[in-house]
């Protein structure tokens, strides 16, 4: 089974307008409510690909109930921990001449809540997949990802970590199955701006040396690069299309990679499917659908 963890899932209120004028009343041309959170996105795209998953994390208030109901409607199983106070966050995504985001804070989580999550994770078994994606809320310790991976270290769970800077670097000693930085995040880790595949590969190889089994680097319009644990180097170019949405593209790539790998054990195919999923989301107003993914793959998935 695949388990995704979203510490701070959200409702994303997406509004579209010709231009955003500060200090004035702005009227939208359209609006919609989407489910938000990196792990939530992974679970939703996995469902499109026919892969079952369990979405874990924390919810609170009426917004938390709406998140649970929305995932149930999409066929995603949830086992969120309900917090006694606060509200799951509402994020405002403004799509005008440029994209602007106002992200909510979300409910406070304490040590007891974290331990309740860890006890759920104690039930994972060899061969299960755990996806840890995104930042850690300020109310939790900064080493939360490390503690989770340390707790699972002997269970032979396939751990996927999609995080930035120290959050990512500090878990490498636990040999995560997959990490997925983008090229800018990869450069931040090493304090440099990366130009060209050679520099990206050099930094990705260093993260492998530090413990990552597979390193998948997304590079937006330049495609993606994968260094697999067997010594293979795989490269795909970006798909051609009009980018409408940057939210969830990286999460969609993670979902596609996992679905491709788990069904074929073929890293090259997993990269192709991951790339198609990421692009399909980028070319859509929301998360990719199966039909959109298959159109980019040129085949059934």
């Amino acid at each position: 089974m695949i388990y995704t963890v979203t510490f701070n899932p959200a409702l994303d209120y997406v509004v579209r307008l010709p231009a955003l004028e500060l200090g004035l009343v702005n009227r939208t041309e359209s609006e919609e409510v989407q489910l938000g959170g990196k792990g939530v996105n992974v679970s939703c795209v996995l469902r499109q690909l026919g892969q079952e998953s369990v979405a874990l994390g924390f919810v609170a208030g009426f917004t938390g109930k709406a998140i649970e109901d929305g995932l149930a409607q999409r066929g995603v199983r949830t086992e969120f921990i309900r917090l006694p106070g606060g509200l799951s966050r509402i994020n405002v995504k403004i799509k005008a001449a440029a994209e602007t985001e106002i992200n909510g804070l979300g409910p406070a989580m304490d040590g007891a809540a974290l331990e309740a999550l860890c006890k759920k994770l104690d039930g994972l078994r060899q061969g299960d997949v755990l996806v840890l994606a995104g930042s850690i809320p300020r109310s939790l310790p900064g080493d939360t990802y490390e503690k989770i991976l340390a707790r699972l270290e002997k269970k032979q769970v396939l751990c996927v970590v999609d995080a930035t800077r120290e959050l990512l670097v500090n878990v490498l000693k636990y040999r995560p199955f997959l990490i997925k930085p983008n090229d800018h995040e990869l450069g931040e880790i090493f304090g440099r701006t990366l130009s060209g595949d050679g520099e990206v590969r050099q930094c990705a190889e260093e993260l492998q040396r530090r413990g990552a089994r597979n390193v998948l680097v997304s590079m937006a319009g330049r495609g993606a690069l994968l260094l697999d644990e067997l010594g293979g180097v795989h490269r795909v170019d970006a798909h051609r299309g009009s980018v409408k949405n940057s939210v969830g593209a990286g999460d969609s790539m993670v979902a596609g990679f996992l679905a491709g790998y788990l069904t074929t054990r073929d890293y090259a195919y997993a990269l192709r499917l991951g790339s198609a999923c990421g692009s399909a989301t980028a070319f859509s107003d929301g998360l990719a659908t199966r039909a959109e993914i298959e159109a980019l793959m040129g085949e059934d998935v």
Side-chain angles (χ1 to χ4, degrees):
M1 178 60 74
I2 304 171
Y3 297 84
T4 65
V5 174
T6 309
F7 283 102
N8 217 350
L11 296 176
D12 286 350
Y13 180 54
V14 183
V15 297
R16 293 177 175 82
L17 57 162
L20 176 63
E21 299 184 71
L22 298 179
L24 299 177
V25 174
N26 292 267
R27 300 194 182 278
T28 68
E29 295 179 330
S30 67
E31 62 262 350
E32 61 189 285
V33 176
Q34 300 175 352
L35 301 177
K38 293 177 71 62
V40 164
N41 293 338
V42 172
S43 279
C44 287
V45 176
L46 283 169
R47 182 65 179 141
Q48 288 292 315
L49 296 169
Q51 291 283 332
E52 298 294 327
S53 70
V54 179
L56 303 172
F58 304 96
V59 292
F62 77 95
T63 46
K65 180 66 164 57
I67 292 167
E68 291 176 309
D69 291 346
L71 285 168
Q73 291 169 9
R74 288 161 176 78
V76 176
R77 180 178 152 198
T78 64
E79 292 185 11
F80 289 118
I81 294 165
R82 178 160 284 279
L83 299 171
L87 293 173
S88 290
R89 60 193 178 136
I90 298 174
N91 299 330
V92 181
K93 312 287 185 179
I94 303 171
K95 296 182 183 291
E99 289 188 8
T100 302
E101 300 184 16
I102 304 172
N103 289 344
L105 182 61
M109 302 154 209
D110 58 15
L114 180 58
E115 181 60 23
L117 174 63
C118 288
K119 285 182 177 179
K120 282 184 177 289
L121 297 179
D122 285 342
L124 271 63
R125 294 179 271 182
Q126 180 178 351
D128 284 339
V129 178
L130 175 65
V131 179
L132 298 173
S135 60
I136 295 172
R138 283 179 286 180
S139 56
L140 292 179
D143 61 352
T144 295
Y145 280 0
E146 295 170 69
K147 289 179 178 177
I148 290 174
L149 265 65
R151 194 160 175 156
L152 296 175
E153 189 173 17
K154 296 181 180 178
K155 288 180 173 285
Q156 296 184 303
V157 171
L158 300 179
C159 293
V160 178
V161 181
D162 183 4
T164 59
R165 299 193 181 188
E166 289 79 11
L167 274 182
L168 182 62
V169 172
N170 291 342
V171 302
L172 296 179
K173 58 192 172 187
Y174 298 108
R175 293 190 51 75
F177 171 71
L178 176 72
I179 61 172
K180 197 219 71 64
N182 62 40
D183 53 345
H184 298 295
E185 292 164 346
L186 187 62
E188 286 177 348
I189 289 171
F190 293 96
R192 53 193 283 204
T193 300
L194 306 181
S195 59
D197 285 10
E199 293 186 3
V200 171
R201 177 174 173 177
Q202 180 186 49
C203 291
E205 287 173 340
E206 176 58 28
L207 296 187
Q208 267 194 322
R209 283 191 287 271
R210 296 187 191 183
R213 290 170 56 184
N214 300 286
V215 182
L216 173 57
V217 185
S218 55
M219 300 183 289
R222 294 198 297 116
L225 176 73
L226 170 68
L227 273 60
D228 73 41
E229 62 184 327
L230 304 177
V233 180
H234 312 271
R235 177 75 162 84
V236 292
D237 292 328
H239 293 87
R240 294 176 180 269
S242 176
V243 175
K244 297 181 180 180
N245 169 41
S246 63
V247 177
D251 310 322
S252 301
M253 176 176 279
V254 169
F257 180 91
L258 282 175
Y261 175 78
L262 292 173
T263 54
T264 68
R265 306 292 167 170
D266 182 332
Y267 283 117
Y269 175 78
L271 176 61
R272 283 205 308 118
L273 182 54
S275 177
C277 290
S279 294
T281 288
F283 301 158
S284 305
D285 288 326
L287 293 174
T289 65
R290 188 184 187 102
E292 291 165 339
I293 295 164
E294 289 179 343
L296 292 180
M297 285 289 286
E299 60 184 275
D300 292 340
V301 296

